[in-house]
Amino acid sequence: MPTLRERHAERTRDAIVAAAYELFSEKGYAETTVDEIAERAEIAPRTFFRYFPAKEAVFFHNANDQVDNAVALLRARPADEAPYDSLVAVLRSIASDLAEPSNQQILLAKHAAESSRLFDHHRAVVMCQFEDAVTEVLVERAGAGNDPLAIQAAVAAVLATFGTAVRAWISSGAKDDLEAILERCVAAARDAFQA
């Protein structure tokens, strides 16, 4: 059971996210300031930065949960399955979940066009965290005698393909079929490597 302090921190974090989403919907992402988010959440601006390093991070507030879920999915794949096939299966599952319409995806798609900083944050923070976690699982799975650097490079290549698909989907306003976009990107990467 969470402690009183943990429950308070969770409520504060939820209040910040709710306030930010309300303001992004009302004013737009670029026009919303951290001070306004803090005021709406009834906290001090410095408190905002204890929970989020930047305004962009609010959009990806559940990134840790998503990474943990992806790692769990990867660990659940058959041990004798090729690592590439396991990773692509996990990415397909994530794409299917992301394609479910939600206010977060719609809002993100709307505001990503306004600010390339959202894409930059996703690439520099979220995808790096995802890459590190996936690489760790696949290095463990490969066992001793395998080259961790080679595994990391392979994971980076596959996740770059996934990132391209997600950015294309968000740029479309989250209206196009993400799973179909991912399949196009995976096929293009596979063809490029075979050429």
Side-chain angles (χ1 to χ4, degrees):
M1 181 173 185
T3 66
L4 180 61
R5 182 184 200 122
E6 290 168 339
R7 289 194 306 271
H8 174 72
E10 187 174 330
R11 281 193 303 272
T12 302
R13 183 179 172 83
D14 290 346
I16 293 168
V17 170
Y21 274 53
E22 287 170 9
L23 286 164
F24 295 158
S25 294
E26 291 168 16
K27 298 181 62 175
Y29 172 79
E31 290 77 22
T32 299
T33 67
V34 168
D35 286 347
E36 290 170 326
I37 295 169
E39 183 179 336
R40 176 79 56 103
E42 299 181 350
I43 60 166
R46 70 181 179 280
T47 303
F48 175 94
F49 290 108
R50 274 192 245 141
Y51 288 85
F52 297 99
K55 185 171 72 167
E56 295 82 17
V58 176
F59 266 117
F60 306 105
H61 68 277
N62 58 353
N64 289 340
D65 294 338
Q66 292 173 338
V67 169
D68 291 346
N69 181 53
V71 166
L73 289 172
L74 189 55
R75 289 189 188 282
R77 300 297 304 172
D80 60 346
E81 185 174 51
Y84 173 84
D85 294 335
S86 293
L87 183 53
V88 169
V90 168
L91 296 178
R92 285 178 175 135
S93 176
I94 292 169
S96 175
D97 290 345
L98 281 176
E100 291 295 317
S102 77
N103 289 338
Q104 180 184 2
Q105 269 86 14
I106 292 165
L107 200 59
L108 177 58
K110 177 183 174 191
H111 296 300
E114 293 177 28
S115 175
S116 63
R117 291 181 62 181
L118 288 172
F119 283 134
D120 294 344
H121 181 85
H122 186 264
R123 185 181 292 140
V125 178
V126 178
M127 290 305 289
C128 284
Q129 181 184 0
F130 187 32
E131 181 181 322
D132 291 346
V134 166
T135 299
E136 184 178 325
V137 172
L138 293 180
V139 166
E140 282 174 23
R141 192 168 159 183
N146 284 288
D147 183 358
L149 182 60
I151 294 169
Q152 184 177 15
V155 167
V158 174
L159 292 187
T161 300
F162 180 70
T164 298
V166 170
R167 285 189 300 280
W169 175 68
I170 289 173
S171 294
S172 79
K175 293 179 184 144
D176 293 342
D177 183 347
L178 175 56
E179 294 171 84
I181 294 170
L182 176 60
E183 292 308 319
R184 283 178 54 204
C185 291
V186 167
R190 188 173 45 241
D191 291 349
F193 279 113
Q194 290 173 349

